[in-house]
Amino acid sequence: SGFNYYQFAKEYLYGLQHVLEESPRFEKTVITDLDRFDSIRSRSAFDWTEIIRICRKDSTDAMILIDDFFLDDSLKVTDWLGGYLVRYQLNNNMEFVVLNPKRQDITGKYYVSNANSWYGIDLNFNDAAEQLPDPTDMILLSCYEAGQKAGRNIAPLWKDDIRRIYFTGSNKLLSKGASYAKQDMWRDAAAYWRQAADSKNERISAKAAYNMALVCEIE
């Protein structure tokens, strides 16, 4: 009861951030430097002046705020072939809101629940229990995965297996763009292909235009 779970709360943010960074929907994510004594919420009201200040400082258009979280756990011991099967389960529950400082309103409220289980098996109960990871590591993983789940609730994220064909050619701009496309850096590729599309050479221009259409399909 005296354990300080708040020291692990940033793992929610790390999980959220890593998912949002992979999404094509967002250009930048920032974990702000708020400490636990900053107050941007009083009961049901938000301090919009403070929220606007934070977003301006971080150069962001919106804020995700973890509103509440709680953890509960259980330990189940089962007889197993004359020994013991130990299962420890940690349930992680998080609520968060998305705030729009320009309109000064709540874009969305979300609730995420995530469960993790760990097992130990041995003839001796203590030996079985010692196979469980360190409690700190279990909490860190639980909070991080809950944050990732929260991110997937609000951000499109996918990696398809579609094979796409694009023109490379001997033109420097086409080739440079292709080198970025091979790394899945399509926006960087588009910067070169857009220049090639303005070429006076109709064949190069046509190839670059095709490549640009491909970028639009992917984006």
Side-chain angles (χ1 to χ4, degrees):
S1 59
F3 191 79
N4 177 22
Y5 288 97
Y6 287 91
Q7 62 184 306
F8 302 109
K10 268 207 168 181
E11 289 300 315
Y12 292 119
L13 301 179
Y14 295 141
L16 256 168
Q17 184 183 44
H18 292 163
V19 168
L20 298 185
E21 285 177 336
E22 290 294 319
S23 172
R25 184 175 182 180
F26 304 101
E27 292 184 1
K28 182 178 75 168
T29 64
V30 178
I31 296 179
T32 194
D33 58 357
L34 281 176
D35 61 47
R36 62 179 300 182
F37 299 107
D38 287 327
S39 177
I40 59 175
R41 181 164 191 168
S42 176
R43 295 182 182 176
S44 60
F46 289 100
D47 184 346
W48 289 103
T49 301
E50 180 69 0
I51 292 169
I52 292 170
R53 182 193 69 79
I54 293 168
C55 288
R56 185 181 295 119
K57 178 186 175 186
D58 293 337
S59 301
T60 54
D61 300 316
M63 175 183 286
I64 298 174
L65 177 69
I66 296 178
D67 212 22
D68 191 22
F69 67 88
F70 64 93
L71 296 87
D72 63 81
D73 61 358
S74 63
L75 183 68
K76 183 178 181 181
V77 182
T78 307
D79 290 333
W80 179 77
L81 299 178
Y84 298 90
L85 170 63
V86 176
R87 186 193 74 168
Y88 176 73
Q89 181 166 316
L90 182 60
N91 300 316
N92 203 316
N93 308 276
M94 181 181 72
E95 294 181 24
F96 66 101
V97 294
V98 181
L99 307 174
N100 186 318
K102 291 181 180 178
R103 296 199 304 260
Q104 296 190 18
D105 65 9
I106 300 172
T107 303
K109 294 182 179 180
Y110 301 88
Y111 174 82
V112 170
S113 180
N114 189 63
N116 295 90
S117 296
W118 293 269
Y119 298 87
I121 301 174
D122 203 278
L123 295 175
N124 180 280
F125 169 76
N126 290 331
D127 292 338
E130 286 181 0
Q131 293 176 16
L132 299 174
D134 182 81
T136 296
D137 293 336
M138 291 190 284
I139 296 171
L140 287 172
L141 177 65
S142 174
C143 293
Y144 182 81
E145 288 189 357
Q148 287 185 308
K149 197 170 184 178
R152 287 191 288 269
N153 279 359
I154 60 175
L157 179 67
W158 67 87
K159 286 206 178 280
D160 59 48
D161 295 321
I162 299 173
R163 181 171 178 265
R164 293 178 170 90
I165 299 173
Y166 47 86
F167 291 103
T168 55
S170 57
N171 178 270
K172 288 184 178 180
L173 292 173
L174 285 176
S175 298
K176 188 68 176 177
S179 68
Y180 283 104
K182 288 179 181 178
Q183 303 174 62
D184 258 351
M185 300 169 65
W186 294 97
R187 292 190 182 183
D188 295 291
Y192 291 95
W193 289 339
R194 188 177 291 111
Q195 297 178 56
D198 293 331
S199 172
K200 293 180 180 180
N201 185 315
E202 291 185 358
R203 292 178 64 84
I204 293 174
S205 178
K207 291 178 179 180
Y210 174 90
N211 287 0
M212 285 298 298
L214 185 66
V215 173
C216 290
E217 179 267 319
I218 292 168
E219 291 294 317

